[in-house]
Every structure is written in structure tokens, then in C-alpha cells.
Amino acid sequence: MKSTFQQTFKELRQEKGLTQAQLAERLKYTQGNISGWENGTVEPKATALTVIAEFFGVSIEYLLGVTDEFNIPIDAPMGDAYTTEERNLIKDFRKLPKGMREILRTTLTAMLNDTSEEKI
């Protein structure tokens, strides 16, 4: 499902645990800009999109809803791209705190090692 800039922008801010005021300070824009972008009353200029994309580590295309966060066009056939399940796992993984990510990596490595030993 294609999302709007407003939805994507707000979700990214919330995932970082930032208030509108905190994000405004970090991006060097006003809280009014952030609020306007989130509620759709103001469209960000190209320079702002560049700053936002860089801050969140995503592409402008992702911000605008043209591609998903893995830079695959929204309307593209799946082909060799990630499955929906794989994309959801990656999204969930990214939401975890760093310590929990490490626990998950360790658990996954142990599970893969157990599986490898069973094949021998």
C-alpha cells in the first residue's frame, strides 16, 4: 500500500522517539514546519526533503511513497525482491533496541548452527 509523505514522515519521527520540537531542533526547521509536513498543510521543499532523507537514512523516493524502504518501486512485481514476510521481519528488527537486536542475532546464529549440525 502506497503511503503519503505525511504518514511516512510522522512514522519515522515516532520510530526515533522524537517530539516535533526535538526533530525541528535537529533538522534546523521550526516546529511549525514539522507540524505542517505531518498534517499535510505544508509541502516540504526539495532542500528540506534532502535534509529529512539524510537524517532518517532513507531515500527521497521512500519519503514520497514511490519506493518502499528497501528502494523497490511500490508498483514493481516482487520477482527476486524481499517477500512481504521478509520485509516485515526487517521492519520489526529495526524497531528493536540495540541490546535486543544483539540477543536476536545470537539466538538466530545458534539456531542456524543447530540446523547446520543436523544436516551433517
Side-chain angles (χ1 to χ4, degrees):
M1 181 177 165
K2 191 173 183 176
S3 64
T4 65
F5 169 79
Q6 300 95 286
Q7 292 169 319
T8 302
F9 180 63
K10 185 174 184 176
E11 286 171 8
L12 288 168
R13 176 183 61 78
Q14 290 173 335
E15 284 175 12
K16 286 242 187 223
L18 298 172
T19 65
Q20 288 183 350
Q22 290 168 328
L23 182 59
E25 184 177 321
R26 292 203 184 167
L27 296 180
K28 304 210 183 319
Y29 283 91
T30 67
Q31 185 174 351
N33 288 124
I34 304 301
S35 176
W37 296 337
E38 284 189 7
N39 65 35
T41 58
V42 179
E43 293 283 328
K45 293 183 180 181
T47 52
L49 286 172
T50 303
V51 169
I52 294 165
E54 186 176 307
F55 178 81
F56 288 113
V58 298
S59 68
I60 291 173
E61 291 83 2
Y62 173 70
L63 287 173
L64 298 177
V66 177
T67 63
D68 68 10
E69 65 187 299
F70 303 102
N71 288 324
I72 299 168
I74 296 294
D75 298 329
M78 287 299 285
D80 291 331
Y82 295 110
T83 65
T84 300
E85 181 182 23
E86 291 167 332
R87 291 178 193 195
N88 289 336
L89 285 169
I90 293 168
K91 286 179 185 179
D92 290 344
F93 179 80
R94 289 177 176 172
K95 292 176 187 175
L96 293 172
K98 187 176 181 179
M100 293 183 87
R101 287 182 186 187
E102 271 311 307
I103 292 169
L104 186 57
R105 280 190 196 102
T106 303
T107 303
L108 182 58
T109 300
M111 292 172 75
L112 291 170
N113 288 337
D114 287 346
T115 304
S116 297
E117 291 173 7
E118 289 177 12
K119 292 181 181 178
I120 297 175

